Amino acid sequence: MSAYHPLTEQEAIDIARSLSDFFPQDAQLESREIGDGNLNLVFHISDPASGKSLIMKQALPYAKVVGESWPLTLDRARIESEALITEAKLAPGLVPQVYHYDAGLALTIMEDLSDHVIMRRGLMENGRYPKFASDISDFMAATLFYTSDLGLNQQEKKRKVGQFINPELCKITEDLIFDDPYADSPNNNFEAAIADEARALQTDAQLHLEVALLRQKFLTEAQALLHGDLHTGSIFITPESTKVIDPEFAFFGPIGFDVGAVIANFLLNYAGQEHWSEADAREDYREYLLGSIVDIWEQFEQKFRKHWNDYGVDRLANSTPGYQDIYMKRLLQDTIGFAGCKMVRRIVGLSHVADIDKIPDDAKREKAQRLALGIGKSLIKLNRHAESIQELVNVVRKGHGGQ
Ligand SMILES: Nc1ncnc2c1ncn2[C@@H]1O[C@H](COP(=O)(O)OP(=O)(O)O)[C@@H](O)[C@H]1O
Ligand SMILES: CSC[C@H]1O[C@H](OP(=O)(O)O)[C@H](O)[C@@H]1O
């Protein structure tokens, strides 16, 4: 096992050469560090002559976005590679193939997906992805059902809970999503123009109660193996293909946290559509985003129920009339609540999204931020009362004057 140190581009080439048979012996390899995320190094290694390439992702011992003052476990690289391998078995074709994992270097070597685009970028360019709702619902229904007590032997599940204990990464979520945005925290990051909204978040008692209840679920409900950070920056996409990357936040948590993450990031893009000058184009794309959200939820629910009906392992859960309907309604409610939390954190918390931050016009950016916050807060307040996904759609439409 190699001793840990952050790799240089040249060292990444040397490691790539040592992988038996991947590149031709005499290949003239090129190496580029392309990491644009908050946490890790990512090297793209290619052989222009053969057209072959791979990705090396290496954890740093701190959070890159903040610096060495925020130490972070290297074990997240193990969690990520083991989660990718688990997901590949349950949802074949929907994650990059892992070629090799080096525990000493906290390094995962995997399939290069550069022929795809990061979905956040795709949505910012108003791309449409006809297979996405089907693919992401396949991914979520399979990975979440077959790692839950409904679809996995319960002794085996408890062993897997141990495998995916991920306290430091969970702590980031507990603080950045469920705590900081509702307090006067030094981690927060918002524009002066919306300081009134940020302050209001700190004193909204109804909101605090709902967030505390959602946080409690995140802390205690080991329902299934989550991806844990399923935003549109963790999804590579083309019109024909979907690949989910970056599960370093994986742990056993509440299912709605993953489904809510996807929906929240569609809604953040929805709010970010403010930058479009032509109202017709903007509203047309917003309808596409809302329609996709409904498709994602409905297909997820239908597929999750089918896995359950066909392969459920829990006698009581399988045979008790009414149990499945109550379970699915709670999943919907959790999804809506977590989606709201994930929207709020991206406007006032430490880490933002380009869909909104990159809007160049100050007034339009402020409008988008206020819209996202308004929708986020309404979803959090709706969560325990929701009966159908249509109520989420109604909240969103109402959020910008029912246009
Ligand atoms: N398998 C891959 N194929 C191609 N590019 C990748 C791959 N994995 C990551 N990347 C690139 O590296 C960037 C950061 O990767 P990510 O896993 O999101 O890192 P972080 O955990 O630091 O957020 C992605 O936005 C993408 O551009
Ligand atoms: C200090 S980490 C902030 C933020 O970054 C992670 O996202 P990513 O690794 O995809 O860039 C995660 O969402 C964390 O909450």
Side-chain angles (χ1 to χ4, degrees):
M1 198 162 67
S2 326
Y4 180 82
H5 61 283
L7 295 176
T8 62
E9 290 179 341
Q10 182 55 48
E11 286 173 313
I13 288 184
D14 297 341
I15 292 172
R17 279 197 197 292
S18 71
L19 289 175
S20 54
D21 293 342
F22 190 89
F23 291 112
Q25 288 290 322
D26 55 350
Q28 298 289 307
L29 297 185
E30 294 179 1
S31 171
R32 257 178 334 122
E33 202 282 309
I34 58 165
D36 59 1
N38 285 325
L39 297 177
N40 303 290
L41 297 176
V42 178
F43 297 93
H44 181 265
I45 315 290
S46 61
D47 170 27
S50 68
K52 296 188 84 176
S53 57
L54 52 74
I55 291 289
M56 289 188 188
K57 178 168 175 179
Q58 186 182 36
L60 289 165
Y62 53 86
K64 191 172 73 176
V65 66
V66 177
E68 297 188 33
S69 62
W70 189 327
L72 207 50
T73 177
L74 295 175
D75 189 48
R76 67 188 195 271
R78 176 191 67 79
I79 297 262
E80 174 161 345
S81 66
E82 292 181 5
L84 283 172
I85 289 164
T86 302
E87 291 164 354
K89 285 186 192 138
L90 298 173
L94 293 173
V95 292
Q97 189 185 343
V98 173
Y99 300 138
H100 180 69
Y101 167 65
D102 184 318
L105 287 171
L107 183 73
T108 304
I109 305 182
M110 68 182 109
E111 183 182 354
D112 177 19
L113 300 171
S114 303
D115 56 338
H116 292 56
V117 294
I118 287 291
M119 189 167 203
R120 188 177 306 289
R121 172 70 40 201
L123 295 182
M124 286 168 67
E125 291 168 0
N126 287 13
R128 296 188 188 223
Y129 300 101
K131 272 191 89 235
F132 179 67
S134 170
D135 284 347
I136 201 69
S137 55
D138 278 346
F139 175 83
M140 295 191 297
T143 58
L144 297 168
F145 179 79
Y146 291 107
T147 59
S148 78
D149 290 295
L150 302 168
L152 177 63
N153 171 282
Q154 291 156 3
Q155 296 300 295
E156 178 59 17
K157 185 207 160 197
K158 287 180 178 67
R159 280 188 281 276
K160 284 204 173 293
V161 170
Q163 180 188 348
F164 287 100
I165 292 288
N166 198 355
E168 287 188 36
L169 282 281
C170 285
K171 172 80 174 137
I172 290 178
T173 301
E174 289 149 22
D175 291 348
L176 297 192
I177 298 186
F178 296 111
D179 194 346
D180 294 333
Y182 309 96
D184 183 16
S185 165
N187 287 334
N188 286 340
N189 166 26
F190 53 82
E191 295 194 42
I194 59 158
D196 58 321
E197 280 284 1
R199 270 195 306 275
L201 287 173
Q202 295 170 22
T203 55
D204 186 334
Q206 189 195 350
L207 197 65
H208 290 190
L209 174 61
E210 296 304 328
V211 172
L213 290 169
L214 288 159
R215 182 168 183 271
Q216 176 194 317
K217 273 184 191 274
F218 185 85
L219 287 165
T220 62
E221 203 163 305
Q223 209 170 19
L225 178 62
L226 306 189
H227 175 282
D229 195 24
L230 195 45
H231 58 79
T232 45
S234 296
I235 297 169
F236 265 118
I237 192 94
T238 72
E240 297 81 32
S241 167
T242 305
K243 304 274 184 183
V244 175
I245 64 166
D246 197 14
E248 71 195 305
F249 283 76
F251 81 114
F252 275 77
I255 288 173
F257 190 77
D258 269 5
V259 189
V262 177
I263 290 176
N265 281 271
F266 268 62
L267 289 176
L268 286 161
N269 186 272
Y270 178 103
Q273 291 299 318
E274 278 312 319
H275 69 284
W276 273 85
S277 49
E278 292 167 42
D280 285 352
R282 178 170 71 222
E283 293 315 316
D284 187 50
Y285 197 67
R286 280 180 163 160
E287 285 309 307
Y288 162 71
L289 294 168
L290 277 184
S292 298
I293 288 169
V294 173
D295 282 352
I296 290 164
W297 170 260
E298 288 181 347
Q299 291 193 39
F300 166 74
E301 178 178 10
Q302 179 255 318
K303 289 170 186 176
F304 194 95
R305 284 182 187 266
K306 179 149 176 52
H307 289 309
W308 191 338
N309 295 336
D310 292 352
Y311 299 106
V313 297
D314 186 82
R315 188 193 65 77
L316 263 181
N318 292 348
S319 62
T320 306
Y323 183 87
Q324 190 180 97
D325 289 342
I326 291 174
Y327 190 103
M328 297 310 299
K329 189 160 90 180
R330 287 194 181 149
L331 283 195
L332 172 73
Q333 294 172 337
D334 293 353
T335 294
I336 289 174
F338 287 127
C341 294
K342 281 174 166 272
M343 293 185 75
V344 170
R345 64 82 59 118
R346 294 294 187 186
I347 305 299
V348 300
L350 175 78
S351 171
H352 288 200
V353 289
D355 316 53
I356 289 181
D357 273 22
K358 294 279 184 212
I359 300 174
D361 181 88
D362 289 346
K364 288 182 178 167
R365 194 172 60 257
E366 179 185 338
K367 194 171 173 203
Q369 288 171 342
R370 289 183 186 274
L371 177 56
L373 276 180
I375 294 172
K377 285 193 297 185
S378 299
L379 294 182
I380 294 170
K381 289 178 180 174
L382 169 67
N383 83 93
R384 285 186 298 139
H385 311 289
E387 298 280 335
S388 80
I389 193 70
Q390 195 54 44
E391 288 172 64
L392 174 145
V393 172
N394 295 345
V395 158
V396 176
R397 290 197 202 286
K398 211 170 143 203
H400 69 294
Q403 290 159 29

